[in-house]
């Protein structure tokens, strides 16, 4: 038959293989018109397996959003969350958030004495301990080097932020062992409470950083 294409539908959906496994396919549906003699029309369905492509694209997006060493949110992702918190506090006066800036004390000396592998492992352990101190609604990030930050979403008052800082300090004072070596690590924490006066995440993080240096 000689057929001409009248229309196309192009969409992604899940398909089943004969063995029962699933794959994500890009489905193209073409409506066909048959020759004048036959007078009938039909459809042609073509599905291209794009599972690997989508997984790769999702992995690239994930990698762009997280810190490669610790798996925490990276600086850009953290700023995105803080931007949303700033927008929210400008709309809802009852909403309150805080940004914590956390710095590992004497990290350079630890790096010099034990080497990069132990120092990197210490950063990973620190990340897990910070996560253990955070709530599900909070955002924990590594923003560079030995510097971390936490966005405390929806707190009641400044005392909530101070209590979170105390939990972190106590958690980090617990013994840390890396490859059978005992590493003594403490942190300094600075807190900046969110207010409608803030217009950028850089500004509130700067204030939390300044508070951290006072604490140190």
């Amino acid at each position: 038959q000689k057929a001409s294409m009248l229309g196309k539908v192009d969409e992604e959906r899940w398909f089943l293989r004969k063995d029962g496994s699933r794959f994500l396919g890009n489905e193209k549906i073409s409506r066909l018109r048959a020759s004048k003699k036959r007078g009938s029309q039909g459809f042609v369905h073509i599905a291209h397996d794009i599972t690997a492509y989508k997984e790769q694209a999702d992995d690239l997006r994930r990698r762009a959003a997280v810190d490669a060493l610790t798996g925490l949110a990276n600086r850009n992702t953290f700023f995105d969350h803080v931007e949303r918190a700033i927008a929210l506090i400008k709309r809802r006066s009852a909403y309150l958030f805080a940004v914590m800036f956390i710095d590992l004390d004497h990290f350079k000396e630890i790096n010099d004495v034990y080497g990069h592998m132990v120092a990197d492992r210490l950063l990973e352990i620190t990340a897990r301990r910070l996560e253990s101190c955070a709530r599900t609604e909070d955002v924990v990030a590594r923003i560079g080097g030995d510097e971390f930050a936490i966005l405390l979403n929806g707190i009641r008052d400044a005392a909530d932020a101070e209590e979170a800082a105390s939990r972190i300090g106590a958690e980090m004072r617990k013994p840390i062992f890396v490859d059978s070596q005992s590493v003594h690590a403490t942190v300094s924490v600075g807190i900046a409470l969110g207010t409608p006066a803030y217009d950028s995440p850089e500004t509130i993080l700067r204030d939390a950083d300044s508070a951290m240096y006072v604490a140190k």
Side-chain angles (χ1 to χ4, degrees):
Q1 297 182 26
K2 292 182 179 179
S4 60
M5 212 179 326
L6 296 180
K8 289 184 177 180
V9 177
D10 191 351
E11 63 176 339
E12 295 175 4
R13 67 185 183 88
W14 289 98
F15 293 85
L16 279 176
R17 298 185 179 91
K18 289 184 178 180
D19 63 3
S21 62
R22 296 200 315 160
F23 72 93
L24 185 64
N26 188 314
E27 182 183 34
K28 294 182 183 293
I29 306 174
S30 300
R31 187 159 58 93
L32 304 175
R33 183 173 58 201
S35 63
K36 292 181 179 179
K37 291 181 179 179
R38 297 292 294 266
S40 61
Q41 66 178 21
F43 296 88
V44 173
H45 294 245
I46 302 174
H48 297 280
D49 187 347
I50 60 170
T51 309
Y53 166 77
K54 292 293 289 186
E55 289 176 348
Q56 184 180 33
D58 291 343
D59 185 58
L60 287 173
R61 281 192 293 269
R62 186 190 66 80
R63 288 174 181 270
V66 303
D67 173 64
L69 177 65
T70 64
L72 297 178
N74 61 19
R75 189 183 189 93
N76 289 337
T77 302
F78 185 75
F79 277 1
D80 287 343
H81 284 280
V82 176
E83 279 183 353
R84 288 195 283 271
I86 291 173
L88 185 57
I89 201 172
K90 288 180 183 293
R91 296 195 309 269
R92 292 170 47 189
S93 59
Y95 174 74
L96 183 61
F97 73 94
V99 169
M100 304 174 67
F101 193 106
I102 302 153
D103 184 75
L104 271 169
D105 298 326
H106 313 298
F107 182 74
K108 183 180 182 303
E109 289 84 348
I110 293 172
N111 193 22
D112 292 341
V113 172
Y114 296 102
H116 293 297
M117 292 184 64
V118 170
D120 283 351
R121 183 66 186 129
L122 174 60
L123 292 173
E124 293 177 294
I125 293 171
T126 299
R128 302 291 79 79
R129 291 192 175 189
L130 293 179
E131 285 181 321
S132 73
C133 294
R135 306 166 302 167
T136 55
E137 60 265 42
D138 299 332
V139 180
V140 185
R142 181 187 177 208
I143 55 176
D146 61 334
E147 297 172 341
F148 298 83
I150 300 179
L151 169 62
L152 300 172
N153 273 308
I155 59 175
R156 294 168 299 180
D157 48 35
D160 279 354
E162 293 170 359
E163 182 181 339
S166 296
R167 287 199 306 271
I168 290 169
E171 184 68 21
M172 290 304 300
R173 283 192 293 272
K174 294 178 181 178
I176 295 176
F177 295 94
V178 181
D179 295 334
S180 301
Q181 298 184 83
S182 176
V183 181
H184 179 68
T186 58
V187 293
S188 297
V189 182
I191 303 169
L193 287 176
T195 72
Y198 282 112
D199 290 316
S200 71
E202 291 87 355
T203 305
I204 190 169
L205 187 66
R206 179 204 63 198
D207 289 350
D209 187 10
S210 299
M212 183 277 298
Y213 273 104
V214 173
K216 189 181 283 288

